[in-house]
Amino acid sequence: MTEMWYDFSENMDSVEWISELPSGLVSKRINLQYQRVELKKVAEGYIIYIGPADPDKGGDGIEINLDNQMNLTDYVIERIEPVPINNSP
């Protein structure tokens, strides 16, 4: 399988906000085989969501809020529980 990457430096004017997060929490490139990336422009700035490619399998997600100058304003880490497998006959 060919690896596909989301590169923030190719999709955003600035990636300085990454260095404002705790070290190692988010990198400039995200492997889309394992994670999904959503970038949304809102009146206050930007909302970035990075989470598992298949949320049904569970994993960790992070919502990152940036102002209009792409400065970090807030972030929230979430744990997504896997969907239980129904083994009923």
Side-chain angles (χ1 to χ4, degrees), residues 36-55:
R36 67 183 175 148
V37 177
E38 298 172 15
L39 176 63
K40 182 177 176 183
K41 174 72 173 117
V42 294
E44 302 82 24
Y46 299 88
I47 299 173
I48 301 167
Y49 180 78
I50 304 167
D54 184 354

Side-chain angles (χ1 to χ4, degrees), residues 18-30:
I18 294 173
S19 64
E20 297 177 45
L21 292 165
S23 180
L25 193 58
V26 173
S27 62
K28 291 181 184 177
R29 294 179 67 210
I30 304 294

Side-chain angles (χ1 to χ4, degrees), residues 32-83:
L32 296 176
Q33 181 177 352
Y34 305 106
Q35 300 287 307
R36 67 183 175 148
V37 177
E38 298 172 15
L39 176 63
K40 182 177 176 183
K41 174 72 173 117
V42 294
E44 302 82 24
Y46 299 88
I47 299 173
I48 301 167
Y49 180 78
I50 304 167
D54 184 354
D56 288 347
K57 292 182 179 178
D60 296 319
I62 182 171
E63 181 178 285
I64 302 163
N65 298 294
L66 308 176
D67 64 18
N68 283 309
Q69 288 72 46
M70 296 195 173
N71 297 309
L72 179 69
T73 59
D74 191 23
Y75 69 94
V76 177
I77 299 172
E78 66 176 353
R79 174 74 185 144
I80 302 166
E81 295 299 324
V83 175

